[in-house]
């Protein structure tokens, strides 16, 4: 059973702070890692993906991957109230085209 | 292209009735996925198509659920003899062809079809 674990939260941060979201996965053969954002009542939309160990930055977002420790994280700098949403971590096992999703972490950015 | 389209957006039905959802993927995408999501949970995989071939189906999916993708274009998900436990958001997503480890594996989701079984 391939598992993707996330703390359901909510994670509450003040506006302008750094929000740190974490995700662990059970399948050591996993190769592709994705972060999706889901606003209440809406469908998931991609924020970014990462495949290699290390950091990947895109604007205010940074994804960090550590395959040895089997975790992937998402940092959101200068958090805005509009970032308030559920953040879903998704993982593809090696060779699979089917992502397994975690339950998501609810982020609340308060002014 | 207007993205992934799903119909109907909402469906209310009585227990025991059959329902069918339709998904129109992004036209150049070969892969199509169905997921189910309930409140407070992440999307749960149901089934996956590459072109018209249904390549994988979740073991959690009962035989009341069936999906098709004739001619590798749109897809339908039918639920027979609905139960209250089937109430959920049914999400369709599509992606392009490409090796794992490339951006082609990114899923684009439709707006979803919300099912309520009374």
């Amino acid at each position: 059973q391939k598992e993707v674990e996330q703390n359901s939260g909510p994670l509450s941060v003040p506006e302008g702070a750094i929000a740190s979201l974490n995700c662990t996965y059970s399948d050591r053969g996993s190769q592709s890692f994705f972060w999706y954002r889901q606003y209440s009542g809406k469908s998931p939309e991609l924020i970014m993906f990462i495949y290699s160990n290390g950091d990947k930055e895109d604007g205010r977002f940074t994804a960090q991957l550590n395959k040895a420790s089997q975790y992937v994280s998402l940092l959101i700098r200068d958090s805005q109230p509009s970032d308030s949403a559920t953040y879903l971590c998704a993982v593809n096992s090696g060779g699979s085209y089917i992502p397994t999703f975690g339950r998501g972490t609810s982020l609340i950015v308060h002014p | 292209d207007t993205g992934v389209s799903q119909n109907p957006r909402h469906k209310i039905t009585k227990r025991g009735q059959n329902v069918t959802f339709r998904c129109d993927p992004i036209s150049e995408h070969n892969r199509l996925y169905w997921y189910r999501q309930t409140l407070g949970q992440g999307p749960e995989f149901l089934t996956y198509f590459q072109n018209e071939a249904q390549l994988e189906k979740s073991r959690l999916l009962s035989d009341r659920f069936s999906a098709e993708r004739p001619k590798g274009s749109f897809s339908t998900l039918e639920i027979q003899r609905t139960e209250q436990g089937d109430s959920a958001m049914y999400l369709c997503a599509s992606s392009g062809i490409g090796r794992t480890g490339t951006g082609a594996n990114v899923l684009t989701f439709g707006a979803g079809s919300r099912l309520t079984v009374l």
Side-chain angles (χ1 to χ4, degrees):
Chain A
Q1 179 79 9
K2 300 165 190 170
E3 294 183 349
V4 178
E5 299 289 340
Q6 294 182 259
N7 188 321
S8 62
L11 172 66
S12 183
V13 300
E15 184 175 356
I18 296 175
S20 177
L21 304 159
N22 299 311
C23 171
T24 60
Y25 57 95
S26 63
D27 186 354
R28 191 168 284 277
S30 298
Q31 293 187 354
S32 307
F33 307 86
F34 306 84
W35 283 100
Y36 288 82
R37 177 175 61 199
Q38 186 172 28
Y39 291 112
S40 181
K42 302 295 185 182
S43 58
E45 56 180 350
L46 180 78
I47 298 175
M48 60 193 309
F49 56 86
I50 185 168
Y51 303 119
S52 303
N53 273 328
D55 295 358
K56 179 181 179 182
E57 186 175 319
D58 184 359
R60 295 186 298 112
F61 299 95
T62 298
Q64 299 175 318
L65 175 60
N66 185 323
K67 289 186 178 181
S69 299
Q70 295 177 242
Y71 83 78
V72 56
S73 61
L74 180 70
L75 300 178
I76 307 175
R77 290 181 299 280
D78 187 23
S79 296
Q80 301 297 309
S82 59
D83 294 326
S84 298
T86 296
Y87 289 80
L88 297 163
C89 172
V91 177
N92 282 36
S93 294
S96 170
Y97 296 106
I98 301 170
T100 299
F101 284 81
R103 64 182 301 177
T105 298
S106 174
L107 173 66
I108 299 172
V109 181
H110 53 86
Chain B
D1 198 335
T2 56
V4 179
S5 176
Q6 291 190 245
N7 289 287
R9 293 290 309 280
H10 299 94
K11 179 71 176 179
I12 300 174
T13 191
K14 293 181 179 179
R15 188 179 56 176
Q17 298 295 304
N18 299 343
V19 296
T20 299
F21 300 116
R22 174 177 170 129
C23 173
D24 289 87
I26 293 172
S27 57
E28 59 265 32
H29 283 180
N30 300 79
R31 299 189 183 123
L32 186 146
Y33 307 75
W34 285 99
Y35 284 81
R36 175 173 63 189
Q37 188 175 28
T38 54
L39 194 62
Q41 301 298 316
E44 174 190 30
F45 170 73
L46 295 179
T47 191
Y48 158 65
F49 291 84
Q50 183 166 311
N51 299 311
E52 67 275 8
Q54 186 175 22
L55 296 185
E56 193 157 339
K57 188 174 175 181
S58 170
R59 285 172 292 176
L60 301 175
L61 208 60
S62 81
D63 56 7
R64 297 184 298 105
F65 287 71
S66 62
E68 295 182 338
R69 192 184 182 195
K71 302 179 183 178
S73 56
F74 71 92
S75 175
T76 58
L77 176 70
E78 181 182 18
I79 308 173
Q80 297 181 326
R81 306 181 303 281
T82 53
E83 302 173 355
Q84 289 183 326
D86 297 332
S87 295
M89 176 73 84
Y90 289 84
L91 294 166
C92 176
S94 66
S95 73
I97 282 287
R99 301 188 316 274
T100 55
T102 72
N105 289 296
V106 170
L107 268 60
T108 300
F109 284 88
S113 293
R114 182 169 296 283
L115 174 64
T116 301
V117 181
L118 301 177

